[in-house]
Amino acid sequence: MDGTRKTGTKVRTVGAPARVENVRAVPASARIHEALREKIIAMEWTPGAAVQEKQIALAYGVSRTPVREAVLKLADERLVDIFPQYGTFVSRISLPSVRDAMVIRQSLERTAVREAALKVAGATEKASKGLLAEIKALVARQRASHKAGDLAAFHAADEAFHQAIAELAGHPNIWRVIRQEKAQVDRCRLLTLPAAERRASVIAEHAAIVDAVAAGDAAAAEAAVAAHLGRVIPSIAGLVAAYPDYFAETEILAEAASEPPSPRIRTL
């Protein structure tokens, strides 16, 4: 016997462990969509900027078809507006979408941090140190990037911190859902990062979350996340005043508290 068994036209190896290789290639449209999405969220492409499909296709060395597919998906996410016979433009920030996203995010992240704290509470002292190592390291990374004035690194560490909380809770898919829903929120948040005092506040709020999780105090952890995320909506009023052309709705949110506008960023 050669260790194989023929079944119809298929050959199965006897005694070999089942193994499925994930070799599916990422379509060009998906890669382009992700790249363009990041440019919009990072405010490299500011609201109202024209989206030139021909130039994008040339830049990525592809035909117009995958670019068109990527742009249509961005339109579904309300990140671009398509006007037939006129053009495609980066959408302005939707305040209702920001509010909806924060409702979703508050609900999911409060659940995640509560379960993360309960997991730490039920672990041994040695195990809890391992569970907390990543989120503590990410806060340290934010402090370093804040001191260096590296806004991109600060934002990346911020994203990783919240993702790590979801993973600690045992619900990594929570972050996938949040990331999909919070694109409009991120565009607002990127506008606030040049303000050093806002970055310092974020670090302090993250540290409070870590302390509560480390103590195994689920109620305190949930309250810390609620306070942290609760600052987003009040900051919108100042952003609308500072960047009126960036928003689709120019009215100031009724529930927004008054905060000094963030300094303007220079775009190329």
Side-chain angles (χ1 to χ4, degrees):
M1 293 292 289
D2 62 359
T4 63
R5 178 181 301 155
K6 293 185 179 180
T7 305
T9 58
K10 295 182 179 180
V11 177
R12 183 171 64 87
T13 301
V14 177
R19 184 178 180 183
V20 178
E21 296 288 350
N22 184 7
V23 295
R24 184 178 61 179
V26 178
S29 61
R31 289 187 286 105
I32 294 170
H33 165 264
E34 186 65 19
L36 301 186
R37 188 179 191 274
E38 288 302 314
K39 288 181 182 294
I40 293 170
I41 290 175
M43 300 300 280
E44 292 179 35
W45 289 1
T46 54
V51 177
Q52 304 288 345
E53 292 184 17
K54 182 178 180 180
Q55 279 69 24
I56 295 170
L58 289 172
Y60 287 93
V62 298
S63 69
R64 294 278 293 274
T65 299
V67 175
R68 165 55 41 164
E69 292 172 355
V71 169
L72 289 174
K73 187 172 182 180
L74 291 171
D76 287 341
E77 296 174 300
R78 299 189 66 181
L79 291 174
V80 300
D81 296 318
I82 300 173
F83 299 98
Q85 311 304 320
Y86 185 66
T88 299
F89 303 87
V90 176
S91 69
R92 287 175 170 77
I93 299 169
S94 166
L95 295 183
S97 292
V98 170
R99 291 197 297 265
D100 289 347
M102 290 311 301
V103 168
I104 294 169
R105 186 170 186 183
Q106 278 269 13
S107 178
L108 292 177
E109 291 211 47
R110 287 173 67 169
T111 297
V113 79
R114 185 177 188 86
E115 294 195 19
L118 290 174
K119 187 173 181 179
V120 171
T124 64
E125 182 177 354
K126 181 178 179 181
S128 66
K129 288 181 179 179
L131 293 172
L132 295 165
E134 184 175 4
I135 58 175
K136 287 184 175 181
L138 287 166
V139 173
R141 189 186 306 173
Q142 278 198 294
R143 288 195 178 98
S145 59
H146 166 56
K147 185 176 181 180
D150 188 338
L151 304 188
F154 184 90
H155 179 64
D158 190 305
E159 294 282 281
F161 176 82
H162 288 275
Q163 182 176 2
I165 293 288
E167 291 174 351
L168 175 55
H171 298 296
N173 281 329
I174 280 181
W175 184 250
R176 177 182 58 80
V177 175
I178 292 172
R179 183 178 181 275
Q180 179 65 32
E181 295 295 331
K182 70 185 184 72
Q184 302 288 2
V185 177
D186 284 342
R187 297 168 80 192
C188 293
R189 290 185 64 252
L190 265 294
L191 291 174
T192 70
L193 289 188
E197 65 273 15
R198 178 55 189 146
R199 299 197 304 274
S201 294
V202 168
I203 292 170
E205 291 158 16
H206 281 183
I209 294 170
V210 171
D211 288 346
V213 172
D217 190 334
E222 187 176 350
V225 163
H228 173 52
L229 298 180
R231 292 201 61 188
V232 174
I233 293 298
S235 71
I236 302 298
L239 293 177
V240 172
Y243 307 94
D245 294 339
Y246 284 4
F247 291 85
E249 301 85 359
T250 57
E251 72 276 9
I252 302 301
L253 300 182
E255 65 268 37
S258 60
E259 286 189 1
S262 302
R264 288 183 177 272
I265 56 175
R266 183 172 64 86
T267 57
L268 300 179

